[in-house]
């Protein structure tokens, strides 16, 4: 016959206390592990960067937010997939939002004559010829901290894309900053 010694009340209380400590420690460690960004593969980063309409990915967004090196690689992928690259503003301008020029395109922002607090963003694309490029559908703006933002574009009309933004729109501070890089895809 097997005899098992049952713990007395003091031993049982000590065991419960130790179990609670271990359980609490594990919960804390799990929380720290979940707070750390997950590793993002180069393939996953590239697929997200070159996708015309990428699926929202909160884990990737969190990893990009917390990792400058990852943002720089992502920005490189975006630039490599761009149809037009406007770069940063080179010369100082007296205009509130300086125009940007790139190979085959130009972007300007004009205050609306019809409505106060509205601006018209104008993208002029070269007409083309034989080496005509595909019409871009997305404006990508990458700030000085290598954070990149996507803005959907309407279809061009005779090589010109125009859309209206308000003074509160997040696109305007990005375009005001001469160090923001503009890409069209």
């Amino acid at each position: 016959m097997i005899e098992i010694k049952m713990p007395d009340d003091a031993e049982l209380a000590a065991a419960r206390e130790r179990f609670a400590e271990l359980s609490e420690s594990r919960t804390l460690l799990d929380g720290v592990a979940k707070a750390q960004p997950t590793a993002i593969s180069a393939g996953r980063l590239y697929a997200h960067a070159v996708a015309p309409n990428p699926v929202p990915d909160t884990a990737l967004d969190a990893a990009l937010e917390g990792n400058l090196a990852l943002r720089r690689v992502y920005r490189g992928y975006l630039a490599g997939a761009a149809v037009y690259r406007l770069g940063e503003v080179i010369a100082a301008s007296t205009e509130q939002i300086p125009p940007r020029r790139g190979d085959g395109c130009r972007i300007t922002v004009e205050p609306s004559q019809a409505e106060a607090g509205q601006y018209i963003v104008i993208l002029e694309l070269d007409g083309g010829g034989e080496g005509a490029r595909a019409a871009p559908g997305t404006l990508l703006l990458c700030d000085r901290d290598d954070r990149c933002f996507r803005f959907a574009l309407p279809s061009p009309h005779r090589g010109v894309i125009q859309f209206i933004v308000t003074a509160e729109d997040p696109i305007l501070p990005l375009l005001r900053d001469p160090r923001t890089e503009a890409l069209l895809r």
Side-chain angles (χ1 to χ4, degrees):
M1 184 181 217
I2 300 175
E3 290 186 30
I4 299 175
K5 180 183 178 243
M6 297 300 289
D8 62 16
D9 288 340
E11 291 173 326
L12 191 57
R16 284 187 177 142
E17 189 174 314
R18 181 72 179 135
F19 178 79
E21 289 172 359
L22 289 172
S23 179
E24 188 174 322
S25 296
R26 173 145 304 158
T27 301
L28 289 172
L29 289 173
D30 286 346
V32 169
K34 289 177 185 171
Q36 294 175 347
T38 57
I40 303 295
S41 70
R44 180 175 173 188
L45 190 65
Y46 179 79
H48 191 271
V50 299
N53 296 313
V55 176
D57 187 337
T58 55
L60 187 136
D61 291 341
L64 285 170
E65 184 60 33
N67 188 328
L68 177 61
L70 194 63
R71 285 197 308 266
R72 287 183 176 159
V73 170
Y74 184 71
R75 183 176 178 169
Y77 288 156
L78 290 173
V83 178
Y84 296 94
R85 190 172 184 175
L86 290 108
E88 300 174 356
V89 174
I90 296 171
S93 174
T94 58
E95 297 180 55
Q96 185 180 17
I97 302 175
R100 296 169 187 272
R101 290 178 180 78
D103 182 30
C105 61
R106 172 185 156 101
I107 185 170
T108 56
V109 180
E110 303 286 335
S112 172
Q113 301 292 325
E115 292 287 330
Q118 287 188 343
Y119 295 85
I120 303 169
V121 179
I122 305 164
L123 288 105
E124 299 171 83
L125 310 171
D126 281 351
E130 270 189 47
R133 302 179 208 182
T138 304
L139 170 63
L140 297 153
L141 297 174
C142 299
D143 68 12
R144 61 180 70 207
D145 295 321
D146 293 312
R147 287 181 178 85
C148 297
F149 305 89
R150 293 174 186 257
F151 301 94
L153 295 174
S155 298
H157 179 70
R158 295 184 182 173
V160 177
I161 298 172
Q162 293 185 26
F163 57 97
I164 297 173
V165 296
T166 64
E168 298 81 30
D169 199 295
I171 197 171
L172 288 180
L174 291 165
L175 288 172
R176 277 189 186 102
D177 186 351
R179 291 186 48 200
T180 296
E181 180 180 26
L183 306 165
L184 296 173
R185 285 213 350 220

